[in-house]
């Protein structure tokens, strides 16, 4: 039976993949696996992985495919992934997509959601993006500000800006996205598993559309 959902979020940096993946994770009670978050934690912990990837991330490039494969393999082996999972930030190029296919359970249903947002919009969004280093909640000081200055609504921790959210690095991340990740849209379209969602609307509107797709 093709019943275990594996949901992949595609979209430019700042398109809202992480936000929507978090919504869907709660809704479906399946884990969200965000490679960006995993790598940022490794950097914060100053682990060997963190030290290896820090400079690459700061420059807006991609971490090598083998490192990413090991990271994902280890994560999806965990028992909480048995009933399905959501991928945010993986795969990010054709090689990773091929490697993912090899490791996915055979009895799964693949759903790929491409969140479409213009380049101009993503640059604006990222300029205002702040996150809570403690609980991971994401805010935007222009569009979705925290109630109290730059502190997390949930736990009061001062919000931080991601090290790779400066304008020049954002431009580099967008160019990496266009070169490496955009080809995945065709790849999954050909497989008949791709759904495009307009990501320009408010978060809850986008979330409703994704829920429709899932049903
Ligand atoms: P974005 O908001 O740009 O989509 P992410 O939080 O997903 O950012 O990822 C941040 C950085 O982590 C990327 O710019 C890249 O350096 C690294 N990274 C995350 N996922 C991958 C991956 N699947 N392959 C290679 N590098 C990755």
């Amino acid at each position: 039976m093709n019943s275990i959902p594996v949901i992949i979020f595609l979209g430019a940096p700042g398109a809202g993949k992480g936000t929507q993946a978090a919504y869907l994770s709660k809704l479906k009670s399946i884990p969200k696996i965000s490679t960006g978050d995993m790598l940022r934690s490794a950097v914060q912990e100053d682990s060997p992985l963190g030290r290896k990837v820090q400079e690459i991330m700061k420059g807006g490039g991609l971490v090598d495919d083998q490192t990413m494969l090991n990271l994902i393999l280890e994560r999806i082996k965990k028992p909480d992934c048995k009933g399905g999972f959501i991928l945010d930030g993986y795969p990010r190029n054709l090689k990773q997509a091929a490697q993912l296919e090899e490791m996915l359970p055979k009895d799964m249903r693949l759903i790929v959601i491409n969140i479409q947002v213009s380049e101009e919009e993503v640059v604006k969004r990222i300029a205002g993006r702040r996150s809570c280093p403690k609980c991971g909640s994401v805010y935007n000081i222009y569009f979705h500000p925290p109630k109290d200055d730059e502190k997390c609504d949930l736990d009061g921790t001062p919000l931080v800006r991601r090290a790779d959210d400066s304008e020049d690095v954002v431009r580099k991340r967008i160019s990496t996205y266009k070169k490496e990740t955009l080809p995945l849209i065709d790849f999954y379209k050909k497989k008949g598993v791709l759904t495009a969602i307009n990501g320009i609307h408010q978060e809850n509107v986008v979330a409703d559309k994704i829920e429709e797709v899932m049903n």
Side-chain angles (χ1 to χ4, degrees), residues 47-67:
S47 69
L49 172 67
R51 286 195 289 275
K52 181 159 118 183
V53 302
Q54 187 167 28
E55 290 308 311
I56 301 169
M57 292 177 77
K58 262 200 207 150
L62 291 189
V63 174
D64 70 278
D65 298 333
Q66 189 58 46
T67 300

PDB file of all heavy atoms in Angstrom, residues 47-67:
ATOM      1  N   SER A  47      30.368  21.295  16.587  1.00  0.00           N
ATOM      2  CA  SER A  47      30.710  19.880  16.378  1.00  0.00           C
ATOM      3  C   SER A  47      31.614  19.778  15.145  1.00  0.00           C
ATOM      4  O   SER A  47      31.747  20.735  14.389  1.00  0.00           O
ATOM      5  CB  SER A  47      29.428  19.075  16.144  1.00  0.00           C
ATOM      6  OG  SER A  47      28.869  19.441  14.893  1.00  0.00           O
ATOM      7  N   PRO A  48      32.218  18.597  14.916  1.00  0.00           N
ATOM      8  CA  PRO A  48      33.048  18.451  13.709  1.00  0.00           C
ATOM      9  C   PRO A  48      32.264  18.786  12.434  1.00  0.00           C
ATOM     10  O   PRO A  48      32.776  19.464  11.545  1.00  0.00           O
ATOM     11  CB  PRO A  48      33.451  16.969  13.737  1.00  0.00           C
ATOM     12  CG  PRO A  48      33.374  16.580  15.186  1.00  0.00           C
ATOM     13  CD  PRO A  48      32.283  17.409  15.791  1.00  0.00           C
ATOM     14  N   LEU A  49      30.999  18.341  12.365  1.00  0.00           N
ATOM     15  CA  LEU A  49      30.170  18.686  11.202  1.00  0.00           C
ATOM     16  C   LEU A  49      30.002  20.203  11.108  1.00  0.00           C
ATOM     17  O   LEU A  49      30.161  20.800  10.039  1.00  0.00           O
ATOM     18  CB  LEU A  49      28.785  18.011  11.308  1.00  0.00           C
ATOM     19  CG  LEU A  49      27.756  18.452  10.255  1.00  0.00           C
ATOM     20  CD1 LEU A  49      28.170  18.009   8.850  1.00  0.00           C
ATOM     21  CD2 LEU A  49      26.352  17.918  10.573  1.00  0.00           C
ATOM     22  N   GLY A  50      29.700  20.825  12.231  1.00  0.00           N
ATOM     23  CA  GLY A  50      29.500  22.275  12.269  1.00  0.00           C
ATOM     24  C   GLY A  50      30.724  23.022  11.760  1.00  0.00           C
ATOM     25  O   GLY A  50      30.618  23.963  10.969  1.00  0.00           O
ATOM     26  N   ARG A  51      31.899  22.569  12.201  1.00  0.00           N
ATOM     27  CA  ARG A  51      33.133  23.251  11.777  1.00  0.00           C
ATOM     28  C   ARG A  51      33.362  23.078  10.286  1.00  0.00           C
ATOM     29  O   ARG A  51      33.854  23.964   9.605  1.00  0.00           O
ATOM     30  CB  ARG A  51      34.321  22.726  12.587  1.00  0.00           C
ATOM     31  CG  ARG A  51      34.304  23.250  14.014  1.00  0.00           C
ATOM     32  CD  ARG A  51      35.636  23.053  14.709  1.00  0.00           C
ATOM     33  NE  ARG A  51      35.880  21.638  15.019  1.00  0.00           N
ATOM     34  CZ  ARG A  51      35.425  21.029  16.114  1.00  0.00           C
ATOM     35  NH1 ARG A  51      34.722  21.705  17.009  1.00  0.00           N
ATOM     36  NH2 ARG A  51      35.676  19.761  16.326  1.00  0.00           N
ATOM     37  N   LYS A  52      32.954  21.911   9.790  1.00  0.00           N
ATOM     38  CA  LYS A  52      33.152  21.637   8.358  1.00  0.00           C
ATOM     39  C   LYS A  52      32.258  22.514   7.473  1.00  0.00           C
ATOM     40  O   LYS A  52      32.666  22.950   6.405  1.00  0.00           O
ATOM     41  CB  LYS A  52      32.838  20.146   8.107  1.00  0.00           C
ATOM     42  CG  LYS A  52      33.019  19.687   6.690  1.00  0.00           C
ATOM     43  CD  LYS A  52      33.196  18.182   6.642  1.00  0.00           C
ATOM     44  CE  LYS A  52      32.090  17.526   5.870  1.00  0.00           C
ATOM     45  NZ  LYS A  52      32.146  16.079   5.840  1.00  0.00           N
ATOM     46  N   VAL A  53      31.022  22.768   7.936  1.00  0.00           N
ATOM     47  CA  VAL A  53      30.060  23.422   7.041  1.00  0.00           C
ATOM     48  C   VAL A  53      29.934  24.936   7.250  1.00  0.00           C
ATOM     49  O   VAL A  53      29.346  25.628   6.429  1.00  0.00           O
ATOM     50  CB  VAL A  53      28.650  22.783   7.180  1.00  0.00           C
ATOM     51  CG1 VAL A  53      28.718  21.306   6.868  1.00  0.00           C
ATOM     52  CG2 VAL A  53      28.030  23.023   8.554  1.00  0.00           C
ATOM     53  N   GLN A  54      30.490  25.418   8.336  1.00  0.00           N
ATOM     54  CA  GLN A  54      30.273  26.815   8.712  1.00  0.00           C
ATOM     55  C   GLN A  54      30.598  27.809   7.592  1.00  0.00           C
ATOM     56  O   GLN A  54      29.784  28.671   7.257  1.00  0.00           O
ATOM     57  CB  GLN A  54      31.130  27.129   9.933  1.00  0.00           C
ATOM     58  CG  GLN A  54      30.864  28.490  10.514  1.00  0.00           C
ATOM     59  CD  GLN A  54      31.489  28.623  11.898  1.00  0.00           C
ATOM     60  OE1 GLN A  54      32.500  27.973  12.199  1.00  0.00           O
ATOM     61  NE2 GLN A  54      30.902  29.431  12.739  1.00  0.00           N
ATOM     62  N   GLU A  55      31.778  27.676   7.023  1.00  0.00           N
ATOM     63  CA  GLU A  55      32.202  28.657   6.016  1.00  0.00           C
ATOM     64  C   GLU A  55      31.352  28.545   4.751  1.00  0.00           C
ATOM     65  O   GLU A  55      31.023  29.549   4.125  1.00  0.00           O
ATOM     66  CB  GLU A  55      33.697  28.470   5.676  1.00  0.00           C
ATOM     67  CG  GLU A  55      34.627  28.865   6.809  1.00  0.00           C
ATOM     68  CD  GLU A  55      34.347  30.265   7.361  1.00  0.00           C
ATOM     69  OE1 GLU A  55      34.240  31.210   6.549  1.00  0.00           O
ATOM     70  OE2 GLU A  55      34.199  30.405   8.605  1.00  0.00           O
ATOM     71  N   ILE A  56      31.007  27.315   4.383  1.00  0.00           N
ATOM     72  CA  ILE A  56      30.186  27.105   3.180  1.00  0.00           C
ATOM     73  C   ILE A  56      28.837  27.798   3.353  1.00  0.00           C
ATOM     74  O   ILE A  56      28.355  28.505   2.462  1.00  0.00           O
ATOM     75  CB  ILE A  56      29.950  25.597   2.939  1.00  0.00           C
ATOM     76  CG1 ILE A  56      31.287  24.872   2.776  1.00  0.00           C
ATOM     77  CG2 ILE A  56      29.042  25.367   1.729  1.00  0.00           C
ATOM     78  CD1 ILE A  56      31.194  23.366   2.795  1.00  0.00           C
ATOM     79  N   MET A  57      28.236  27.600   4.525  1.00  0.00           N
ATOM     80  CA  MET A  57      26.930  28.210   4.784  1.00  0.00           C
ATOM     81  C   MET A  57      27.026  29.733   4.782  1.00  0.00           C
ATOM     82  O   MET A  57      26.177  30.410   4.218  1.00  0.00           O
ATOM     83  CB  MET A  57      26.364  27.709   6.108  1.00  0.00           C
ATOM     84  CG  MET A  57      25.991  26.245   6.054  1.00  0.00           C
ATOM     85  SD  MET A  57      25.409  25.652   7.644  1.00  0.00           S
ATOM     86  CE  MET A  57      23.745  26.304   7.683  1.00  0.00           C
ATOM     87  N   LYS A  58      28.047  30.254   5.407  1.00  0.00           N
ATOM     88  CA  LYS A  58      28.224  31.713   5.468  1.00  0.00           C
ATOM     89  C   LYS A  58      28.350  32.308   4.085  1.00  0.00           C
ATOM     90  O   LYS A  58      27.978  33.447   3.845  1.00  0.00           O
ATOM     91  CB  LYS A  58      29.496  32.040   6.257  1.00  0.00           C
ATOM     92  CG  LYS A  58      29.247  32.394   7.676  1.00  0.00           C
ATOM     93  CD  LYS A  58      30.457  33.151   8.198  1.00  0.00           C
ATOM     94  CE  LYS A  58      30.606  32.985   9.684  1.00  0.00           C
ATOM     95  NZ  LYS A  58      32.004  33.061  10.111  1.00  0.00           N
ATOM     96  N   GLY A  59      28.886  31.516   3.156  1.00  0.00           N
ATOM     97  CA  GLY A  59      29.092  32.016   1.802  1.00  0.00           C
ATOM     98  C   GLY A  59      27.898  31.766   0.886  1.00  0.00           C
ATOM     99  O   GLY A  59      27.911  32.182  -0.272  1.00  0.00           O
ATOM    100  N   GLY A  60      26.892  31.041   1.373  1.00  0.00           N
ATOM    101  CA  GLY A  60      25.704  30.797   0.554  1.00  0.00           C
ATOM    102  C   GLY A  60      25.844  29.668  -0.450  1.00  0.00           C
ATOM    103  O   GLY A  60      25.038  29.538  -1.368  1.00  0.00           O
ATOM    104  N   GLY A  61      26.871  28.831  -0.273  1.00  0.00           N
ATOM    105  CA  GLY A  61      27.044  27.681  -1.168  1.00  0.00           C
ATOM    106  C   GLY A  61      26.378  26.441  -0.593  1.00  0.00           C
ATOM    107  O   GLY A  61      25.739  26.501   0.456  1.00  0.00           O
ATOM    108  N   LEU A  62      26.542  25.312  -1.270  1.00  0.00           N
ATOM    109  CA  LEU A  62      25.942  24.060  -0.800  1.00  0.00           C
ATOM    110  C   LEU A  62      26.985  23.166  -0.150  1.00  0.00           C
ATOM    111  O   LEU A  62      28.108  23.037  -0.640  1.00  0.00           O
ATOM    112  CB  LEU A  62      25.312  23.283  -1.958  1.00  0.00           C
ATOM    113  CG  LEU A  62      24.055  23.845  -2.617  1.00  0.00           C
ATOM    114  CD1 LEU A  62      23.476  22.833  -3.588  1.00  0.00           C
ATOM    115  CD2 LEU A  62      23.017  24.240  -1.576  1.00  0.00           C
ATOM    116  N   VAL A  63      26.574  22.540   0.922  1.00  0.00           N
ATOM    117  CA  VAL A  63      27.395  21.530   1.586  1.00  0.00           C
ATOM    118  C   VAL A  63      27.447  20.306   0.656  1.00  0.00           C
ATOM    119  O   VAL A  63      26.504  20.055  -0.100  1.00  0.00           O
ATOM    120  CB  VAL A  63      26.759  21.176   2.956  1.00  0.00           C
ATOM    121  CG1 VAL A  63      27.473  20.033   3.627  1.00  0.00           C
ATOM    122  CG2 VAL A  63      26.729  22.421   3.847  1.00  0.00           C
ATOM    123  N   ASP A  64      28.553  19.548   0.688  1.00  0.00           N
ATOM    124  CA  ASP A  64      28.697  18.454  -0.281  1.00  0.00           C
ATOM    125  C   ASP A  64      27.634  17.359  -0.100  1.00  0.00           C
ATOM    126  O   ASP A  64      27.117  17.144   1.007  1.00  0.00           O
ATOM    127  CB  ASP A  64      30.111  17.865  -0.199  1.00  0.00           C
ATOM    128  CG  ASP A  64      30.316  17.112   1.095  1.00  0.00           C
ATOM    129  OD1 ASP A  64      30.605  17.763   2.130  1.00  0.00           O
ATOM    130  OD2 ASP A  64      30.161  15.887   1.093  1.00  0.00           O
ATOM    131  N   ASP A  65      27.324  16.690  -1.186  1.00  0.00           N
ATOM    132  CA  ASP A  65      26.208  15.736  -1.224  1.00  0.00           C
ATOM    133  C   ASP A  65      26.397  14.558  -0.267  1.00  0.00           C
ATOM    134  O   ASP A  65      25.439  14.078   0.317  1.00  0.00           O
ATOM    135  CB  ASP A  65      26.027  15.201  -2.655  1.00  0.00           C
ATOM    136  CG  ASP A  65      25.684  16.315  -3.631  1.00  0.00           C
ATOM    137  OD1 ASP A  65      25.096  17.322  -3.182  1.00  0.00           O
ATOM    138  OD2 ASP A  65      26.007  16.184  -4.821  1.00  0.00           O
ATOM    139  N   GLN A  66      27.642  14.086  -0.127  1.00  0.00           N
ATOM    140  CA  GLN A  66      27.868  12.921   0.738  1.00  0.00           C
ATOM    141  C   GLN A  66      27.588  13.257   2.204  1.00  0.00           C
ATOM    142  O   GLN A  66      26.950  12.476   2.920  1.00  0.00           O
ATOM    143  CB  GLN A  66      29.317  12.429   0.566  1.00  0.00           C
ATOM    144  CG  GLN A  66      29.607  11.095   1.252  1.00  0.00           C
ATOM    145  CD  GLN A  66      28.700   9.956   0.758  1.00  0.00           C
ATOM    146  OE1 GLN A  66      28.510   9.792  -0.446  1.00  0.00           O
ATOM    147  NE2 GLN A  66      28.134   9.187   1.688  1.00  0.00           N
ATOM    148  N   THR A  67      28.027  14.434   2.622  1.00  0.00           N
ATOM    149  CA  THR A  67      27.765  14.871   3.998  1.00  0.00           C
ATOM    150  C   THR A  67      26.262  14.957   4.237  1.00  0.00           C
ATOM    151  O   THR A  67      25.736  14.512   5.267  1.00  0.00           O
ATOM    152  CB  THR A  67      28.412  16.262   4.239  1.00  0.00           C
ATOM    153  OG1 THR A  67      29.807  16.135   4.020  1.00  0.00           O
ATOM    154  CG2 THR A  67      28.149  16.779   5.638  1.00  0.00           C
TER     155      THR A  67
END
